[in-house]
Amino acid sequence: MRQMHLESVNDQQVLLVVDDREENLVAMEALLGDGDWDVRTVNSGEDALRCLMDEDVGLVLLDVQMPRMDGFEVARLMRGSPHTRYTPIIFLSAIAHTEESVLQGYAIGAVDFILKPFDPKVLKHKIGALLEQERHRHELQQLSQQLDSERAFNASVLDNASEGILVIDQDGVIRFANPAMAQMLRGEVADLQDSRLLSYLKRPEMPGDWRESEFYRSWRSGQTYRVHDAVLATLDGGYLPVALSCSPLPQYQNSMVLIALDMSVVSNLHAQLESQAITDALTGLYNRRGFHQSLETALSRIDRSGKRMAVLYLDLDGFKRVNDSLGHAAGDQVLRQIAEQLKTCLRPYDILARMGGDEFTALLDSLDHPEDAARVAEKLIELVSVRYELDGVEFTLGASIGIACYPECGQTVDGLLRSADMAMYEAKRAGRQQYRFFSPEMNGRARSRLMLEESLRTAIEQDDFVLVYQPQIDLASGRLRGFEALLRWEHRVAGTISPGVFIPLLEETRLINRVGAWIFNQGISQCRAWQTQFGENLLLSLNVSPVQFGMPKLVEDLRRLLDMHQLKPSQLEVEVTESALMQDLDTTREQLQQLRELGVRIAIDDFGTGYSSLAYLRHFELDTLKIDRLFISNMLESRKDAAIVSTIIDLGHHLGLEVIAEGVETLEQRDWLMAHRCTTMQGFLVAPGLPLEQASAFPAQLDWANWRPDKLF
């Protein structure tokens, strides 16, 4: 017999990186340069094809988006060339994130499609495994080709080959097995001889009759039969993933040679990658993908059992303060701790997942009644809502939970999660640290909210918002103190939309920043225009939402607009609610100090309805207290409300603060406030929010002695 010879493979295989951006090539060379491979880099599809023709490349990392010739075209040309037909390709892309692009990549013949940014460790593991597989494929291919053309082969090569080799006769009986094959199947060579190949094959499924199998059919047609994901049963009862290549020997031998490549390393790697794909790296819980899969499995099972189940959507209340004050590392530590706490409340077969950020989900399976889910939600809220200590800092968290029951609240994965998510936001709107069940009314509100949000964006683009100006009157003299600028929205179809409806939505969607910038510019500009008519002591009050108050550029933006319109800072009053001040005390102090240095006045709006902590009146530098209209409307009938208003007025005098009563609607309310030395008032008794033309015609001085509200205009 002639000596058979396998072409040796270089110690280091060539890894070709193709990307049209030079900085990406430099980064990839730095990342991959320390591996057991030789990195080549090119910046175009044309250069890649030239390199592939000149060198024996083991693996190609191919960018999708390139000028002239994109990655898909390079892959198609590679698959059309015998030299590169089986060279593994991994697509890398930061842009082509669509399912269509990914499927197109796999259809062309890529072994993987990785979206940027990616995990370097995972990429290196993939490269190593694929290069190792490619090395074995080359050896397998060379051996198979030489066996096709040779009448005999050297026994020493077979005995020392690392791949398993079998010779099978036309009846499917094993006539020869090399030591590697016996070792792979956990037996001896003698154990395999004269046994049937199909008795070891567990995947792919084959007919019991050998002559109907693909092995026999391919042998009869003179073709090579390959299976990349086959499974063989070992003699000790185990299973071994292999890649098989079965080729016919010369016709007169009536036999075929089968080569088996051990794929257990690659299979284990794929299993690890799949586990990582469904596991949250921070907490060890399922991630969003893992929870989706678990919920889908539960839905298919519960249809048959008739049992109920519920999805809980949990969002932590107050977690943002932990991240902002203690840093993200501390926040991660808290999330891990909470994940462990949540697991203690659930049964072993319930599913718990972290969906991202500070959001968790739980799948409660096999429930008898919806109330069972409510009891679990109560336990979860109680468990989370405790005092924590980290790095010597104490803080308290809470939890808001939405509950969606199957099948009432949804019968699909997306439907149940969407319902639970809406119910969770309903719990937040109801005051946080509580749970809510999903109801059809919530779904309707959610749809209305989406429509309103879209209308808000359109209103901003089409400049549909207007400012009205409500006069503020000095009670002692009747002098016009200034105006409070109020935002109004005239919807082109629905008409006037209440500020109580659209302003909270502006804050939730962060659109308040865009609208707020417009309010500042419009109001300051108008106040400057009124100086000729009302004098330089006229004040303009502008409301600042909690979202705006937390913006680091608030003072800088106000300074720029005051300079641009040449308005004195002392003519501008910034109104902030109590809740905005108490969100983050350190940020509040810094923001108020900067506003004070700018020279603008600071007013607390709706005083008495928020946190009602008198401590901040001592620590914060303020100018004005505004008594909420709720107390003013009831003070003549309620002794308690009257006492609150009187106390706030006295408190303001003692602290040297101006006190403004909001929502004054009757002469009796005005007289009571004057008798109790309230400084200023505003409300419908004088005027509602006035359009610009009427505000400009407002008198600078009211004659209290002969004044009648109905004769003002």
Side-chain angles (χ1 to χ4, degrees), residues 293-311 347 349-350 363-370 404-408 410-413 416:
Q293 291 180 0
S294 299
L295 181 53
E296 192 167 1
T297 301
L299 285 172
S300 63
R301 183 181 64 250
I302 205 166
D303 281 341
R304 298 188 296 270
S305 69
K307 283 280 191 178
R308 304 174 66 90
M309 69 178 181
V311 172
R347 299 165 298 183
Y349 52 85
D350 290 331
L363 171 60
L364 308 181
D365 206 346
S366 300
L367 298 178
D368 294 322
H369 307 285
C405 294
Y406 173 88
E408 296 88 350
Q411 300 181 29
T412 64
V413 171
L416 283 168

Side-chain angles (χ1 to χ4, degrees), residues 433-447:
Q433 289 189 245
Q434 53 188 295
Y435 66 86
R436 285 289 186 273
F437 280 90
F438 173 80
S439 67
E441 290 77 13
M442 287 185 202
N443 195 21
R445 284 197 295 273
R447 290 180 179 274

Side-chain angles (χ1 to χ4, degrees), residues 15-20 24 28 32 44-45 48-49 52 59-66 69-79 84-85 87-119 122-123 126-127 130:
L15 172 63
L16 178 60
V17 181
V18 186
D19 198 302
D20 63 312
N24 289 348
M28 292 295 285
L32 304 174
S44 69
L49 294 175
L52 287 164
L59 175 64
V60 180
L61 299 182
L62 185 56
D63 186 22
V64 175
Q65 299 289 338
M66 294 188 295
M69 181 184 293
D70 65 13
F72 293 144
E73 183 62 22
V74 174
R76 277 191 289 270
L77 293 174
M78 287 177 61
R79 291 297 176 251
T84 58
R85 181 174 300 162
T87 303
I89 300 171
I90 296 179
F91 279 119
L92 298 175
S93 177
I95 301 175
H97 280 225
T98 64
E99 181 182 3
E100 180 181 356
S101 299
V102 174
L103 293 177
Q104 183 180 358
Y106 284 122
I108 292 173
V111 298
D112 210 342
F113 197 114
I114 299 178
L115 304 177
K116 300 177 182 177
F118 52 78
D119 187 334
V122 173
L123 179 61
K126 286 187 176 183
I127 291 173
L130 289 171

Side-chain angles (χ1 to χ4, degrees), residues 396-415:
T396 302
L397 296 177
S400 299
I401 298 180
I403 305 174
C405 294
Y406 173 88
E408 296 88 350
C409 304
Q411 300 181 29
T412 64
V413 171
D414 291 338

